[in-house]
Amino acid sequence: MYNKQLILIRHGESTWNKLNRFTGWTDVELSNQGKKEAQLSGQILKKKKINFDYCYTSLLKRAIHTLWIILNELDQVWLTVKKTWRLNERHYGNLQGLNKDEIATKYGDKIVNQWRRSFTSVPPKMKNTDNWSSCNDERYKNLKNNEIPSSESLELTLNRVLPFWKNNILPKIQQNNRILIVAHGNSLRALMKYLSHLNNEEIIDLHIPTGVPIVYNLNNTLCTPMKYSFLKNDE
């Protein structure tokens, strides 16, 4: 029996998505297109009469602003929202800020595809002194040094997402609360790998479009592999 629903949404297109740059933990804004995607996502949820009890997002404004726009469309801006670094995008290390096509030309498509899509590959690490390092960022001041990544694989991303899922989100779902998570392509890919029991090969082909709601109808045990579907405007 399926009586619990979870909605996942990747933030709308960001300014660096538009420029085809690796973003990671760099805090960039939504593009105009991304704002429209977020608005449409909210309209789709409203049309389907899907409302929420709790919302979760990252500490990065492209996800936070996407959530704001969606809640405004749903007339649910009053909802409790929990922000956490554990839902941040995967940290892309020294690739952050660089154009993906230029990096592929430099290192070759094969190695760049491994960095981007595989479960275990870790991009070149960023130094704490680099311009886009998060070590001196005010929002992470309460984290331990070993909690702030210098680069991450999808596996490492899952390792930080999963404790928050188990300790914070899952108990709310088990109490029959309706949950919305607005996060990032790879923090959501990591969570979906866990929820749907995807193997290391299957996760390579999982692409999450910006601004499209993903629906999980959850069973009572949440132990078996769970199916998901993308909620499109024409459905």
Side-chain angles (χ1 to χ4, degrees), residues 192-222:
M192 290 174 71
K193 185 182 191 300
Y194 172 77
L195 293 177
S196 298
H197 296 198
L198 302 177
N199 63 40
N200 290 3
E201 297 302 316
E202 290 170 327
I203 195 61
I204 291 173
D205 296 324
L206 176 60
H207 171 71
I208 301 177
T210 53
V212 177
I214 303 166
V215 181
Y216 271 95
N217 291 306
L218 307 177
N219 58 41
N220 286 325
T221 64
L222 276 70

mmCIF file of all heavy atoms in Angstrom, residues 192-222:
data_model
loop_
_atom_site.group_PDB
_atom_site.id
_atom_site.type_symbol
_atom_site.label_atom_id
_atom_site.label_comp_id
_atom_site.label_asym_id
_atom_site.label_seq_id
_atom_site.Cartn_x
_atom_site.Cartn_y
_atom_site.Cartn_z
ATOM 1 N N MET A 192 18.263 9.418 -4.581
ATOM 2 C CA MET A 192 17.475 8.518 -5.423
ATOM 3 C C MET A 192 18.174 7.179 -5.618
ATOM 4 O O MET A 192 17.527 6.147 -5.738
ATOM 5 C CB MET A 192 17.181 9.192 -6.764
ATOM 6 C CG MET A 192 16.206 10.359 -6.640
ATOM 7 S SD MET A 192 15.975 11.279 -8.180
ATOM 8 C CE MET A 192 15.030 10.067 -9.132
ATOM 9 N N LYS A 193 19.493 7.183 -5.643
ATOM 10 C CA LYS A 193 20.227 5.913 -5.719
ATOM 11 C C LYS A 193 19.893 5.051 -4.522
ATOM 12 O O LYS A 193 19.671 3.837 -4.645
ATOM 13 C CB LYS A 193 21.738 6.165 -5.782
ATOM 14 C CG LYS A 193 22.560 4.887 -5.987
ATOM 15 C CD LYS A 193 24.046 5.187 -5.999
ATOM 16 C CE LYS A 193 24.856 3.968 -6.471
ATOM 17 N NZ LYS A 193 24.679 2.772 -5.634
ATOM 18 N N TYR A 194 19.837 5.688 -3.368
ATOM 19 C CA TYR A 194 19.512 4.966 -2.142
ATOM 20 C C TYR A 194 18.056 4.507 -2.125
ATOM 21 O O TYR A 194 17.764 3.341 -1.847
ATOM 22 C CB TYR A 194 19.808 5.866 -0.936
ATOM 23 C CG TYR A 194 19.339 5.315 0.382
ATOM 24 C CD1 TYR A 194 20.048 4.304 1.029
ATOM 25 C CD2 TYR A 194 18.172 5.805 0.971
ATOM 26 C CE1 TYR A 194 19.612 3.792 2.245
ATOM 27 C CE2 TYR A 194 17.734 5.291 2.181
ATOM 28 C CZ TYR A 194 18.449 4.288 2.814
ATOM 29 O OH TYR A 194 18.013 3.787 4.004
ATOM 30 N N LEU A 195 17.140 5.407 -2.430
ATOM 31 C CA LEU A 195 15.712 5.088 -2.340
ATOM 32 C C LEU A 195 15.295 4.016 -3.340
ATOM 33 O O LEU A 195 14.478 3.143 -3.033
ATOM 34 C CB LEU A 195 14.871 6.341 -2.566
ATOM 35 C CG LEU A 195 14.942 7.441 -1.509
ATOM 36 C CD1 LEU A 195 14.107 8.634 -1.937
ATOM 37 C CD2 LEU A 195 14.476 6.919 -0.153
ATOM 38 N N SER A 196 15.855 4.090 -4.554
ATOM 39 C CA SER A 196 15.446 3.171 -5.617
ATOM 40 C C SER A 196 16.398 2.004 -5.806
ATOM 41 O O SER A 196 16.241 1.228 -6.746
ATOM 42 C CB SER A 196 15.299 3.951 -6.934
ATOM 43 O OG SER A 196 14.297 4.923 -6.820
ATOM 44 N N HIS A 197 17.400 1.888 -4.930
ATOM 45 C CA HIS A 197 18.364 0.785 -4.963
ATOM 46 C C HIS A 197 19.029 0.687 -6.346
ATOM 47 O O HIS A 197 19.165 -0.405 -6.911
ATOM 48 C CB HIS A 197 17.697 -0.550 -4.614
ATOM 49 C CG HIS A 197 17.170 -0.607 -3.213
ATOM 50 N ND1 HIS A 197 16.872 -1.794 -2.585
ATOM 51 C CD2 HIS A 197 16.886 0.358 -2.310
ATOM 52 C CE1 HIS A 197 16.417 -1.550 -1.354
ATOM 53 N NE2 HIS A 197 16.427 -0.249 -1.184
ATOM 54 N N LEU A 198 19.457 1.824 -6.886
ATOM 55 C CA LEU A 198 20.123 1.822 -8.179
ATOM 56 C C LEU A 198 21.565 1.372 -8.006
ATOM 57 O O LEU A 198 22.239 1.759 -7.046
ATOM 58 C CB LEU A 198 20.093 3.220 -8.797
ATOM 59 C CG LEU A 198 18.704 3.839 -9.009
ATOM 60 C CD1 LEU A 198 18.832 5.258 -9.561
ATOM 61 C CD2 LEU A 198 17.859 2.983 -9.934
ATOM 62 N N ASN A 199 22.055 0.561 -8.936
ATOM 63 C CA ASN A 199 23.456 0.133 -8.838
ATOM 64 C C ASN A 199 24.371 1.190 -9.456
ATOM 65 O O ASN A 199 23.914 2.212 -9.990
ATOM 66 C CB ASN A 199 23.661 -1.249 -9.474
ATOM 67 C CG ASN A 199 23.362 -1.256 -10.970
ATOM 68 O OD1 ASN A 199 23.689 -0.325 -11.708
ATOM 69 N ND2 ASN A 199 22.733 -2.338 -11.439
ATOM 70 N N ASN A 200 25.677 0.941 -9.381
ATOM 71 C CA ASN A 200 26.643 1.944 -9.821
ATOM 72 C C ASN A 200 26.599 2.215 -11.316
ATOM 73 O O ASN A 200 27.043 3.272 -11.773
ATOM 74 C CB ASN A 200 28.064 1.513 -9.417
ATOM 75 C CG ASN A 200 28.277 1.601 -7.921
ATOM 76 O OD1 ASN A 200 27.358 1.924 -7.167
ATOM 77 N ND2 ASN A 200 29.490 1.321 -7.481
ATOM 78 N N GLU A 201 26.084 1.281 -12.077
ATOM 79 C CA GLU A 201 25.922 1.492 -13.515
ATOM 80 C C GLU A 201 24.636 2.249 -13.815
ATOM 81 O O GLU A 201 24.610 3.151 -14.659
ATOM 82 C CB GLU A 201 25.936 0.147 -14.254
ATOM 83 C CG GLU A 201 27.253 -0.608 -14.135
ATOM 84 C CD GLU A 201 28.426 0.196 -14.650
ATOM 85 O OE1 GLU A 201 28.288 0.818 -15.726
ATOM 86 O OE2 GLU A 201 29.475 0.215 -13.983
ATOM 87 N N GLU A 202 23.575 1.917 -13.126
ATOM 88 C CA GLU A 202 22.282 2.567 -13.367
ATOM 89 C C GLU A 202 22.317 4.050 -13.016
ATOM 90 O O GLU A 202 21.675 4.876 -13.678
ATOM 91 C CB GLU A 202 21.189 1.863 -12.560
ATOM 92 C CG GLU A 202 20.857 0.465 -13.064
ATOM 93 C CD GLU A 202 19.953 -0.306 -12.125
ATOM 94 O OE1 GLU A 202 20.052 -0.111 -10.896
ATOM 95 O OE2 GLU A 202 19.151 -1.106 -12.626
ATOM 96 N N ILE A 203 23.079 4.399 -11.979
ATOM 97 C CA ILE A 203 23.103 5.802 -11.551
ATOM 98 C C ILE A 203 23.772 6.687 -12.591
ATOM 99 O O ILE A 203 23.488 7.891 -12.678
ATOM 100 C CB ILE A 203 23.803 5.941 -10.183
ATOM 101 C CG1 ILE A 203 23.498 7.316 -9.571
ATOM 102 C CG2 ILE A 203 25.312 5.724 -10.295
ATOM 103 C CD1 ILE A 203 22.039 7.573 -9.300
ATOM 104 N N ILE A 204 24.653 6.118 -13.419
ATOM 105 C CA ILE A 204 25.330 6.905 -14.458
ATOM 106 C C ILE A 204 24.323 7.524 -15.409
ATOM 107 O O ILE A 204 24.483 8.668 -15.863
ATOM 108 C CB ILE A 204 26.330 6.017 -15.230
ATOM 109 C CG1 ILE A 204 27.509 5.631 -14.320
ATOM 110 C CG2 ILE A 204 26.835 6.723 -16.487
ATOM 111 C CD1 ILE A 204 28.451 4.626 -14.949
ATOM 112 N N ASP A 205 23.260 6.795 -15.712
ATOM 113 C CA ASP A 205 22.286 7.244 -16.707
ATOM 114 C C ASP A 205 21.150 8.066 -16.112
ATOM 115 O O ASP A 205 20.270 8.519 -16.856
ATOM 116 C CB ASP A 205 21.693 6.036 -17.439
ATOM 117 C CG ASP A 205 22.735 5.280 -18.242
ATOM 118 O OD1 ASP A 205 23.633 5.936 -18.801
ATOM 119 O OD2 ASP A 205 22.674 4.031 -18.291
ATOM 120 N N LEU A 206 21.148 8.274 -14.808
ATOM 121 C CA LEU A 206 20.078 9.051 -14.191
ATOM 122 C C LEU A 206 20.371 10.541 -14.331
ATOM 123 O O LEU A 206 21.308 11.063 -13.733
ATOM 124 C CB LEU A 206 19.923 8.690 -12.713
ATOM 125 C CG LEU A 206 18.881 9.525 -11.941
ATOM 126 C CD1 LEU A 206 17.486 9.366 -12.548
ATOM 127 C CD2 LEU A 206 18.880 9.148 -10.462
ATOM 128 N N HIS A 207 19.564 11.212 -15.109
ATOM 129 C CA HIS A 207 19.677 12.664 -15.277
ATOM 130 C C HIS A 207 18.435 13.316 -14.697
ATOM 131 O O HIS A 207 17.307 12.898 -14.972
ATOM 132 C CB HIS A 207 19.810 13.039 -16.757
ATOM 133 C CG HIS A 207 19.710 14.518 -16.993
ATOM 134 N ND1 HIS A 207 20.697 15.404 -16.614
ATOM 135 C CD2 HIS A 207 18.726 15.276 -17.560
ATOM 136 C CE1 HIS A 207 20.335 16.634 -16.931
ATOM 137 N NE2 HIS A 207 19.147 16.584 -17.509
ATOM 138 N N ILE A 208 18.626 14.353 -13.900
ATOM 139 C CA ILE A 208 17.514 15.061 -13.285
ATOM 140 C C ILE A 208 17.413 16.444 -13.913
ATOM 141 O O ILE A 208 18.305 17.284 -13.732
ATOM 142 C CB ILE A 208 17.715 15.182 -11.764
ATOM 143 C CG1 ILE A 208 17.846 13.794 -11.136
ATOM 144 C CG2 ILE A 208 16.552 15.949 -11.138
ATOM 145 C CD1 ILE A 208 18.126 13.825 -9.652
ATOM 146 N N PRO A 209 16.352 16.727 -14.651
ATOM 147 C CA PRO A 209 16.193 18.050 -15.265
ATOM 148 C C PRO A 209 15.904 19.121 -14.216
ATOM 149 O O PRO A 209 15.383 18.824 -13.133
ATOM 150 C CB PRO A 209 15.007 17.857 -16.220
ATOM 151 C CG PRO A 209 14.242 16.719 -15.654
ATOM 152 C CD PRO A 209 15.247 15.813 -14.991
ATOM 153 N N THR A 210 16.242 20.352 -14.513
ATOM 154 C CA THR A 210 15.974 21.451 -13.588
ATOM 155 C C THR A 210 14.476 21.752 -13.541
ATOM 156 O O THR A 210 13.786 21.770 -14.558
ATOM 157 C CB THR A 210 16.734 22.722 -14.007
ATOM 158 O OG1 THR A 210 16.445 23.027 -15.389
ATOM 159 C CG2 THR A 210 18.234 22.540 -13.852
ATOM 160 N N GLY A 211 13.979 21.981 -12.329
ATOM 161 C CA GLY A 211 12.626 22.472 -12.150
ATOM 162 C C GLY A 211 11.503 21.505 -12.447
ATOM 163 O O GLY A 211 10.368 21.953 -12.660
ATOM 164 N N VAL A 212 11.765 20.216 -12.444
ATOM 165 C CA VAL A 212 10.718 19.231 -12.732
ATOM 166 C C VAL A 212 10.463 18.390 -11.479
ATOM 167 O O VAL A 212 11.383 17.731 -10.984
ATOM 168 C CB VAL A 212 11.108 18.306 -13.903
ATOM 169 C CG1 VAL A 212 10.033 17.252 -14.135
ATOM 170 C CG2 VAL A 212 11.343 19.117 -15.170
ATOM 171 N N PRO A 213 9.233 18.389 -10.947
ATOM 172 C CA PRO A 213 8.940 17.590 -9.747
ATOM 173 C C PRO A 213 9.103 16.092 -10.002
ATOM 174 O O PRO A 213 8.688 15.572 -11.038
ATOM 175 C CB PRO A 213 7.476 17.927 -9.444
ATOM 176 C CG PRO A 213 7.222 19.236 -10.126
ATOM 177 C CD PRO A 213 8.081 19.209 -11.363
ATOM 178 N N ILE A 214 9.714 15.419 -9.042
ATOM 179 C CA ILE A 214 9.857 13.960 -9.051
ATOM 180 C C ILE A 214 9.005 13.415 -7.915
ATOM 181 O O ILE A 214 9.143 13.838 -6.767
ATOM 182 C CB ILE A 214 11.322 13.545 -8.858
ATOM 183 C CG1 ILE A 214 12.203 14.176 -9.944
ATOM 184 C CG2 ILE A 214 11.462 12.021 -8.865
ATOM 185 C CD1 ILE A 214 13.677 14.094 -9.645
ATOM 186 N N VAL A 215 8.127 12.487 -8.237
ATOM 187 C CA VAL A 215 7.174 11.964 -7.265
ATOM 188 C C VAL A 215 7.576 10.555 -6.834
ATOM 189 O O VAL A 215 7.783 9.673 -7.672
ATOM 190 C CB VAL A 215 5.749 11.915 -7.854
ATOM 191 C CG1 VAL A 215 4.755 11.391 -6.813
ATOM 192 C CG2 VAL A 215 5.331 13.294 -8.355
ATOM 193 N N TYR A 216 7.692 10.364 -5.534
ATOM 194 C CA TYR A 216 7.845 9.036 -4.938
ATOM 195 C C TYR A 216 6.590 8.728 -4.137
ATOM 196 O O TYR A 216 6.224 9.483 -3.227
ATOM 197 C CB TYR A 216 9.042 8.994 -3.980
ATOM 198 C CG TYR A 216 10.357 8.633 -4.606
ATOM 199 C CD1 TYR A 216 11.236 9.625 -5.031
ATOM 200 C CD2 TYR A 216 10.740 7.303 -4.757
ATOM 201 C CE1 TYR A 216 12.458 9.302 -5.600
ATOM 202 C CE2 TYR A 216 11.958 6.967 -5.317
ATOM 203 C CZ TYR A 216 12.816 7.970 -5.738
ATOM 204 O OH TYR A 216 14.024 7.640 -6.297
ATOM 205 N N ASN A 217 5.911 7.643 -4.469
ATOM 206 C CA ASN A 217 4.838 7.110 -3.643
ATOM 207 C C ASN A 217 5.435 6.010 -2.783
ATOM 208 O O ASN A 217 5.826 4.958 -3.293
ATOM 209 C CB ASN A 217 3.698 6.584 -4.507
ATOM 210 C CG ASN A 217 2.970 7.707 -5.212
ATOM 211 O OD1 ASN A 217 2.517 8.663 -4.578
ATOM 212 N ND2 ASN A 217 2.861 7.613 -6.520
ATOM 213 N N LEU A 218 5.529 6.258 -1.495
ATOM 214 C CA LEU A 218 6.307 5.412 -0.603
ATOM 215 C C LEU A 218 5.438 4.371 0.083
ATOM 216 O O LEU A 218 4.304 4.644 0.490
ATOM 217 C CB LEU A 218 6.994 6.267 0.460
ATOM 218 C CG LEU A 218 7.826 7.442 -0.072
ATOM 219 C CD1 LEU A 218 8.383 8.250 1.091
ATOM 220 C CD2 LEU A 218 8.942 6.968 -0.975
ATOM 221 N N ASN A 219 5.995 3.164 0.212
ATOM 222 C CA ASN A 219 5.269 2.124 0.940
ATOM 223 C C ASN A 219 5.499 2.275 2.442
ATOM 224 O O ASN A 219 6.289 3.110 2.888
ATOM 225 C CB ASN A 219 5.682 0.737 0.451
ATOM 226 C CG ASN A 219 7.169 0.493 0.592
ATOM 227 O OD1 ASN A 219 7.760 0.863 1.597
ATOM 228 N ND2 ASN A 219 7.775 -0.117 -0.412
ATOM 229 N N ASN A 220 4.803 1.480 3.209
ATOM 230 C CA ASN A 220 4.838 1.632 4.661
ATOM 231 C C ASN A 220 6.185 1.279 5.277
ATOM 232 O O ASN A 220 6.566 1.817 6.307
ATOM 233 C CB ASN A 220 3.740 0.779 5.310
ATOM 234 C CG ASN A 220 2.360 1.390 5.104
ATOM 235 O OD1 ASN A 220 2.221 2.601 5.092
ATOM 236 N ND2 ASN A 220 1.352 0.553 4.939
ATOM 237 N N THR A 221 6.906 0.358 4.663
ATOM 238 C CA THR A 221 8.178 -0.073 5.245
ATOM 239 C C THR A 221 9.352 0.771 4.768
ATOM 240 O O THR A 221 10.336 0.921 5.469
ATOM 241 C CB THR A 221 8.460 -1.545 4.896
ATOM 242 O OG1 THR A 221 8.607 -1.664 3.468
ATOM 243 C CG2 THR A 221 7.329 -2.440 5.370
ATOM 244 N N LEU A 222 9.280 1.326 3.570
ATOM 245 C CA LEU A 222 10.361 2.082 2.948
ATOM 246 C C LEU A 222 11.643 1.255 2.858
ATOM 247 O O LEU A 222 12.750 1.787 2.890
ATOM 248 C CB LEU A 222 10.638 3.390 3.703
ATOM 249 C CG LEU A 222 9.751 4.578 3.354
ATOM 250 C CD1 LEU A 222 8.338 4.375 3.840
ATOM 251 C CD2 LEU A 222 10.328 5.866 3.916
#
